[in-house]
Amino acid sequence: MNPPRASWLRPRWLLNQRAAKALLWTVVLVAAAVGANIVGIYLVGSVAGWERWLAATASYFLVWRLCLYGATAYGWVWMRRRLLAREAQRGADKQARRRLVRSEIAGVAAIVALEASLLMQAA
């Protein structure tokens, strides 16, 4: 008789290729952010100088983020139209619409939380 297999000891999401790719991208992005800070500190000469430079250029970064949010919204609207058209052909447009609305709410909440935390740091 075979012993019972403890499937909960081997979570499938760890072996999932999509999860591995997402984890790899996360590590790459964090490494790029750390690298950018290290290079910035090296170029400016000190951590205090780097912090002053970041504070002085905060408005430029705000403009950059707004442009990024606008480009993301444009791409989202384009993708949303295509997805809803495809799901309407399959007859599953109500479920797709609900999933999209949940994603949109989560995305807007994340952006609001990010910008609110940046405003609270600046104050």
Side-chain angles (χ1 to χ4, degrees):
M1 182 171 168
N2 292 336
R5 292 175 16 158
S7 62
W8 59 273
L9 289 175
R10 285 177 267 118
R12 290 182 182 214
W13 65 270
L14 284 176
L15 304 175
N16 187 347
Q17 186 176 4
R18 290 177 68 189
K21 283 183 182 179
L23 181 61
L24 178 65
W25 272 109
T26 302
V27 168
V28 167
L29 289 174
V30 168
V34 168
N37 279 295
I38 290 171
V39 169
I41 291 168
Y42 176 77
L43 291 174
V44 174
S46 69
V47 174
W50 178 242
E51 288 176 347
R52 282 192 303 273
W53 183 83
L54 285 175
T57 58
S59 59
Y60 296 114
F61 285 116
L62 174 63
V63 170
W64 162 251
R65 287 193 313 274
L66 291 175
C67 291
L68 192 61
Y69 297 151
T72 302
Y74 177 79
W76 182 265
V77 169
W78 174 81
M79 185 270 319
R80 186 179 209 280
R81 248 186 280 129
R82 290 189 63 198
L83 181 76
L84 289 176
R86 185 185 71 197
E87 293 298 319
Q89 291 174 350
R90 298 162 97 195
D93 55 335
K94 274 190 167 186
Q95 291 175 348
R97 198 174 298 274
R98 268 189 264 142
R99 283 192 318 263
L100 283 171
V101 167
R102 280 195 304 259
S103 298
E104 290 163 353
I105 291 170
V108 169
I111 290 171
V112 167
L114 171 71
E115 292 300 326
S117 72
L118 291 173
L119 281 174
M120 289 177 10
Q121 282 179 359

